[in-house]
Amino acid sequence: MMTDKIKLGFAPTRRNIFSADAAIEFADLTRNKLNAMDVDFVDIKDINEDGLLYDDAGMKKIAAKFKKAGIDGLFLANENFGTEYECARLAKQFDVPVLLWGPKDEAPATDGSRLRDTQCGLFAIGKVLRRFKVPFTYLVNADIGDSEFEQGVLDFIKVCNVVKTFKETRILQVGPRPFDFWSTMVNEGELLERFNISLSPIPLTELVEKIHELQSNNDSEIAETEQKLRSIADVEISDKDLNMVSALKVALSRKMKEYGCNAGAIQCWTALQDEIGILPYASESLLQDEGTPVTCETDIHGVISELLVEAATMGQERAVFADVNCRHPENPNGELLQHLGVFPYSTARNKPKLPKSHFVFDYPGSVGFQAKDGTYTLCRFDGDNGNYSLLLGNAKTCDGPYEQGTYLWLQFVNLNRFETKLVYGPYIHHIAAVRSDVVPILYEACKYLDISPDFYDPIEDDVKAYLRGDIKSIVK
């Protein structure tokens, strides 16, 4: 079940020279299919008697209706030849992903005539969209009942969700980056100017004061959080430390709501331990499960990566955020992804543990478990020198030694390629991963985000083949 919601503007189009009746019939068939798929869309049947886009007067009314509804994506359904310039004029008014498709033409009648000429019109619409500099996603000329149609629409909805999430992101930045982490340096002004991603920086003291306020007031959410942690994990830390872990989680959640943020990044060490005596990871893992990720070492680009890869699953899967740590002792293509916590509790394959300390930091507040087996999509948004890209690829879990903290061992097709990509950059040792194959979704979303897709394996041809319906999966 998809937890995130996307609203499409549905604009079926026709051209006067071909059969209006046939275009109306196929537009209604498309509507029925979208309804059967439970797609949330804004229709245009009230715009004119045809319920179709074909002239300026109708285009202006459609644009006004879609703007009022706040659509997240535009679906141009070419039901006969289509009026290409009206499609482009409509699409130009929206900064949202655009889906272009038309139903396959019937065989010619016995007298050699044809009613729709849909495929030819798709070529024309595509050309004019390019003239208007409107990026778009093309769904191949398949029948409404074909599996390619349904998969293409569902994938496009996921693309819309990635784009919407990216453009609406506001990140709570708690404290500056730790001095030693020059790798997590970001350009705040550039993120805002280019991508509309804004930061809400607050000092650590503001968060600490909120924690103490919540504890002094015996806020009921702290006790509820303590109870939840005891129900989902083996708690080895003291009651006092558990109370602080819970208070930190609640304080971070309240601060994100106060500043209108959908994610956060925190200076996780060492000033925080001096103030409240715990590591933040057990608290962050709870926030990850709630869909409001918070990353460590003030890694702004890292939390953006998490938001993107989760949005590509429509909120069905939660992302793990990990350090890429070390090679497998025996498997030449195996790699350890690990952290002191941060993985959502829901991603655990064994019961999570809240240990008294971790070998890296002798403080409570870390989490321990191995993540679930499966095929993961790895994703890292990053940039430097004004250039931004999205590192993409897949890897499958494999057996490996026990590790403290939250961890998983992944087997790559070629670990050297992955390792070299991280070293040459613009990436670092932090990466987001989700147990789902959403590489094609993220790849397609890049065209709407002014980001270059960057594969660590040579899979671009397979991704393109998937997007045009030639293969069902890029994972071998």
Side-chain angles (χ1 to χ4, degrees):
M1 180 179 178
M2 296 182 179
T3 58
D4 297 343
K5 300 297 181 184
I6 287 296
K7 182 181 294 184
L8 299 183
F10 177 60
T13 181
R14 70 167 174 84
R15 178 177 280 191
N16 292 331
I17 193 172
F18 293 97
S19 170
D21 290 339
I24 293 168
E25 176 189 355
F26 276 86
D28 287 339
L29 288 171
T30 310
R31 291 180 175 99
N32 293 339
K33 180 63 175 179
L34 294 177
N35 284 322
M37 293 168 58
D38 199 28
V39 174
D40 183 9
F41 67 96
V42 182
D43 206 347
I44 62 168
K45 292 200 78 170
D46 59 326
I47 297 299
N48 51 47
E49 61 181 23
D50 289 355
L52 297 168
L53 166 65
Y54 54 83
D55 61 12
D56 271 351
M59 184 276 296
K60 291 175 182 177
K61 293 177 182 177
I62 294 167
K65 183 174 184 179
F66 287 174
K67 287 177 181 178
K68 184 177 181 181
I71 62 168
D72 305 306
L74 175 62
F75 183 9
L76 297 172
N78 182 28
E79 308 293 6
N80 60 29
F81 189 95
T83 306
E84 63 266 36
Y85 53 90
E86 295 299 354
C87 290
R89 286 171 177 168
L90 177 64
K92 188 67 174 178
Q93 299 189 50
F94 296 90
D95 185 23
V96 298
V98 176
L99 180 64
L100 174 61
W101 165 84
K104 189 171 141 185
D105 293 309
E106 311 91 337
T110 55
D111 64 358
S113 64
R114 289 182 291 116
L115 295 175
R116 296 187 298 120
D117 210 18
T118 296
Q119 187 194 50
C120 190
L122 290 169
F123 301 145
I125 295 171
K127 177 63 174 181
V128 180
L129 287 173
R130 284 183 51 81
R131 288 289 192 195
F132 277 66
K133 296 185 177 180
V134 174
F136 64 94
T137 295
Y138 177 59
L139 173 53
V140 292
N141 183 211
D143 285 327
I144 294 170
D146 290 346
S147 61
E148 289 85 355
F149 174 80
E150 184 164 341
Q151 189 62 56
V153 171
L154 294 176
D155 283 346
F156 177 71
I157 288 170
K158 293 176 183 178
V159 170
C160 291
N161 199 39
V162 173
V163 174
K164 178 183 179 180
T165 299
F166 186 78
K167 292 183 176 181
E168 294 181 357
T169 285
R170 187 184 300 174
I171 300 167
L172 181 73
Q173 179 183 328
V174 185
R177 63 173 174 82
F179 171 78
D180 291 329
F181 274 76
W182 286 51
S183 56
T184 60
M185 185 185 302
V186 299
N187 188 325
E188 179 182 354
E190 197 166 63
L191 287 175
L192 180 61
E193 293 161 3
R194 285 187 58 176
F195 307 121
N196 197 44
I197 294 174
S198 61
L199 308 185
S200 299
I202 66 170
L204 275 173
T205 51
E206 183 174 336
L207 178 67
V208 172
E209 287 170 2
K210 187 64 177 180
I211 291 170
H212 293 326
E213 175 194 322
L214 293 168
Q215 289 176 322
S216 298
N217 294 334
N218 291 316
D219 192 284
S220 62
E221 196 175 344
I222 296 177
E224 292 169 5
T225 304
E226 289 177 335
Q227 184 178 1
K228 180 173 183 178
L229 283 168
R230 291 190 186 280
S231 69
I232 63 175
D234 290 330
V235 178
E236 299 178 357
I237 61 179
S238 68
D239 291 347
K240 178 183 176 183
D241 290 333
L242 182 63
N243 180 268
M244 184 58 77
V245 167
S246 301
L248 173 57
K249 182 267 176 184
V250 177
L252 282 167
S253 182
R254 299 277 177 89
K255 282 296 174 182
M256 280 194 280
K257 289 177 182 176
E258 179 183 342
Y259 287 94
C261 298
N262 59 336
I266 187 170
Q267 185 194 45
C268 53
W269 53 275
T270 57
L272 187 67
Q273 287 73 58
D274 295 338
E275 292 287 343
I276 61 176
I278 65 164
L279 300 164
Y281 308 114
S283 308
E284 291 175 77
S285 294
L286 283 172
L287 291 163
Q288 303 274 16
D289 264 329
E290 293 178 359
T292 51
V294 176
T295 52
C296 318
E297 286 102 31
T298 325
D299 186 358
I300 302 298
H301 290 166
V303 80
I304 294 170
S305 307
E306 281 199 88
L307 290 169
L308 294 181
V309 78
E310 285 191 3
T313 76
M314 295 300 292
Q316 290 179 298
E317 297 285 343
R318 293 299 173 209
V320 301
F321 183 73
D323 285 3
V324 182
N325 275 114
C326 63
R327 287 176 173 252
H328 195 287
E330 299 171 351
N331 185 338
N333 286 309
E335 179 72 26
L336 175 66
L337 270 64
Q338 182 270 346
H339 213 284
L340 281 77
V342 187
F343 289 21
Y345 293 97
S346 62
T347 63
R349 85 172 193 180
N350 55 291
K351 190 171 184 180
K353 179 172 67 175
L354 270 59
K356 293 181 180 178
S357 64
H358 187 279
F359 75 89
V360 176
F361 291 114
D362 189 18
Y363 286 98
S366 64
V367 185
F369 63 78
Q370 186 173 1
K372 294 175 183 177
D373 288 334
T375 297
Y376 283 76
T377 292
L378 277 65
C379 166
R380 174 75 193 185
F381 166 81
D382 220 323
D384 51 38
N385 299 295
N387 299 311
Y388 290 84
S389 56
L390 195 66
L391 183 66
L392 293 170
N394 298 111
K396 296 181 180 180
T397 52
C398 61
D399 292 334
Y402 165 76
E403 174 76 17
Q404 289 187 30
T406 50
Y407 73 98
L408 73 161
W409 290 93
L410 289 180
Q411 179 168 316
F412 291 79
V413 174
N414 184 321
L415 180 58
N416 289 343
R417 283 197 298 245
F418 177 67
E419 178 183 273
T420 303
K421 276 286 185 182
L422 293 187
V423 173
Y424 279 124
Y427 315 107
I428 64 171
H429 63 294
H430 290 167
I431 204 156
V434 71
R435 200 167 65 114
S436 181
D437 178 19
V438 291
V439 168
I441 305 302
L442 294 166
Y443 172 83
E444 187 67 13
C446 284
K447 70 170 60 170
Y448 300 105
L449 300 178
D450 191 25
I451 299 171
S452 301
D454 189 12
F455 299 107
Y456 54 78
D457 286 327
I459 58 173
E460 186 167 11
D461 285 344
D462 287 341
V463 170
K464 290 179 177 178
Y466 170 87
L467 290 170
R468 65 176 179 259
D470 291 344
I471 59 176
K472 299 299 182 184
S473 173
I474 67 166
V475 177
K476 301 293 192 292

